[in-house]
Amino acid sequence: MYRYIGNKTKLTAVILDRIAELIGLNGTVADIMAGTGTVSYELRKRGYSVVASDMMTYSYHHLIVNLTLSEAPDFRTLISSGRLGILRSENSYEAVLMYLNSLPPVKSFFFEEFSPDGTPSNGGEPRKYFTSDNAAKIDSIRETINEWVTNSLVTPAEESLLKHTLIMAVNEIANISGTYGYFLSDFKKNATDSIVLKPLVFYPTNSEGHIVKQGFAEELASSISADLCYIDPPYMKRQYAANYHILETLARGDFPDAIGKSGLRDWWDQHSKLCTKTRGLQSFETIMHDLNAPYFLVSYSEDGLFSLEQLVQTFSKFGKVTTQEIDYARFRSNNSKLPKQLKEYLITVKR
Ligand SMILES: C[S@@+](CC[C@H](N)C(=O)[O-])C[C@H]1O[C@@H](n2cnc3c(N)ncnc32)[C@H](O)[C@@H]1O
């Protein structure tokens, strides 16, 4: 269950159909705010070459997995190191997951900072993102992965796959309502289940020729060329780095200061200008000016920071603009009182 603000799972068919209308069924498509990688993955499945990027580290790992793996890597160095002992599966990836699932819990960073039996380093009240048992299991799993990475026992693709698999498992048992901006005061049912790493099912073809990058789109734009650039920007003030800080910590494998009541890491280095009214339109201009593509396709929401008129006015500086409106169920946290339906825009810019 990946509840990611602005995830396009329900809209991929419409987006992919529009891309096919504009450039046909082959070519290179850039997905420069790719998030969970849902759109990139569908583009790969339809046979496109994809250049995918996002500013978040967890997104980088999701993209490596979604775009470049067609089967599980063989974990050759790790297996031959003897670290895993006697293997209980012929499939190396599954053997690695079995090993990680059976590690004894360790009361370390996640236990101390994010569980009710922990002692946060800032002296504040214990937090309840995870049960104490799950937090200690996450500690043992992530610190073991860190050790494998430090000692070059896993390849970069194997590291991405393990981190992707861990994040997907953590999403299942996190005690949150939608995002990691805060935790719930009481443990909800699925948060009390034990965390289990589950093997991913791989898409078997078209894993070659894709490019994955990490960084701000404004900065990467001049290094990207594509037949079409899909842009799925944030549309609210809520910063992704703050709302998914725990996933970023899992992806980086680090031990940041956990600040304030909710234990956020310092996220200023991943602050997005697109979440601000003052600098968002300038960011679109930089991207459209610098990125080499004859078409841009931009997703935006009716209740976004910018009105459709503002966007059209900005985009018109770069080409002919047409807008498609789609009715779409609103991303809602559990207690939201907002109405259910709203419009999503799909805006095409033809240079
Ligand atoms: C609406 S989400 C994308 C959702 C994605 N299409 C999916 O289906 O999961 C917006 C994404 O833009 C990223 N982002 C925000 N500002 C950015 C920037 N300036 N450069 C690159 N990525 C940015 C966020 O990290 C987030 O993942």
Side-chain angles (χ1 to χ4, degrees):
M1 181 177 50
Y2 211 138
R3 294 189 63 198
Y4 194 65
I5 305 172
N7 180 299
K8 290 294 172 293
T9 308
K10 293 181 185 157
L11 286 181
T12 42
V14 185
I15 295 164
L16 272 277
D17 287 351
R18 181 65 180 146
I19 291 174
E21 260 174 44
L22 294 169
I23 64 164
L25 288 171
N26 48 48
T28 300
V29 179
D31 179 13
I32 57 169
M33 295 179 201
T36 62
T38 312
V39 176
S40 284
Y41 187 56
E42 290 305 316
L43 287 165
R44 168 192 173 184
K45 282 163 89 177
R46 292 233 186 154
Y48 295 103
S49 295
V50 185
V51 182
S53 62
D54 195 284
M55 63 182 183
M56 301 304 296
T57 314
Y58 57 81
S59 178
Y60 175 83
H61 293 304
H62 296 320
L63 292 168
I64 290 286
V65 170
N66 282 345
L67 288 174
T68 71
L69 297 183
S70 52
E71 59 182 350
D74 57 20
F75 291 91
R76 195 178 312 149
T77 309
L78 178 63
I79 304 260
S80 58
S81 75
R83 287 280 212 293
L84 307 188
I86 299 163
L87 299 185
R88 285 170 290 148
S89 169
E90 285 185 7
N91 175 316
S92 305
Y93 171 44
E94 288 182 16
V96 173
L97 297 191
M98 276 186 204
Y99 176 82
L100 291 172
N101 280 327
S102 63
L103 285 171
V106 174
K107 294 180 180 176
S108 185
F109 180 77
F110 268 61
F111 177 86
E112 296 297 355
E113 297 294 352
F114 301 135
S115 89
D117 293 321
T119 309
S121 55
N122 69 356
E125 288 291 304
R127 305 177 182 107
K128 290 187 183 171
Y129 283 103
F130 306 103
T131 61
S132 301
D133 286 351
N134 277 336
K137 286 186 96 175
I138 294 170
D139 277 322
S140 63
I141 294 170
R142 80 178 199 115
E143 291 185 18
T144 300
I145 297 172
N146 279 354
E147 195 260 322
W148 293 346
V149 172
T150 306
N151 291 304
S152 306
L153 294 172
V154 286
T155 63
E158 288 166 349
E159 175 190 351
S160 288
L161 177 59
L162 293 180
K163 289 183 171 175
H164 169 90
T165 310
L166 174 58
I167 287 171
M168 300 313 276
V170 165
N171 282 338
E172 296 284 329
I173 49 87
N175 191 39
I176 56 172
S177 151
T179 80
Y180 290 83
Y182 206 67
F183 50 86
L184 299 172
S185 50
D186 294 317
F187 279 102
K188 60 177 183 175
K189 166 96 190 41
N190 61 311
T192 61
D193 294 341
S194 280
I195 183 168
V196 183
L197 304 181
K198 296 185 191 122
L200 176 80
V201 177
F202 295 89
Y203 184 71
T205 56
N206 195 23
S207 60
E208 303 284 323
H210 307 293
I211 297 172
V212 177
K213 299 175 184 237
Q214 184 187 351
F216 288 110
E218 299 91 322
E219 289 166 18
L220 294 178
S222 60
S223 69
I224 298 175
S225 288
D227 297 304
L228 180 146
C229 175
Y230 173 63
I231 308 180
D232 188 15
Y235 55 84
M236 300 183 291
K237 286 193 176 149
R238 296 167 83 185
Q239 293 278 348
Y240 283 79
N243 279 287
Y244 299 97
H245 62 108
I246 286 192
L247 304 188
E248 186 63 15
T249 298
L250 292 169
R252 294 198 200 186
D254 60 359
F255 299 77
D257 286 339
I259 301 161
K261 277 193 171 181
S262 48
L264 264 60
R265 58 184 299 133
D266 178 0
W267 50 269
W268 190 248
D269 58 338
Q270 287 165 309
H271 170 272
S272 174
K273 293 182 185 140
L274 286 152
C275 297
T276 69
K277 268 207 166 228
T278 45
R279 287 178 295 171
L281 292 174
Q282 177 61 49
S283 280
F284 281 118
E285 289 197 20
T286 304
I287 293 165
M288 290 186 179
H289 181 269
D290 289 356
L291 198 144
N292 178 18
Y295 291 100
F296 289 91
L297 188 62
V298 184
S299 282
Y300 211 72
S301 170
E302 185 182 16
D303 65 354
L305 280 179
F306 302 109
S307 67
L308 181 60
E309 292 69 33
Q310 283 175 301
L311 294 174
V312 171
Q313 196 184 23
T314 303
F315 298 165
S316 298
K317 295 177 190 168
F318 301 92
K320 185 172 175 302
V321 179
T322 44
T323 306
Q324 192 178 337
E325 291 184 2
I326 312 156
D327 278 329
Y328 182 54
R330 186 188 291 268
F331 172 90
R332 295 193 305 170
S333 58
N334 290 345
N335 50 8
S336 172
K337 307 251 181 328
L338 295 168
K340 220 175 176 172
Q341 288 297 321
L342 86 167
K343 279 196 201 74
E344 177 88 12
Y345 302 121
L346 203 48
I347 309 168
T348 305
V349 185
K350 181 179 186 308
R351 265 203 222 278

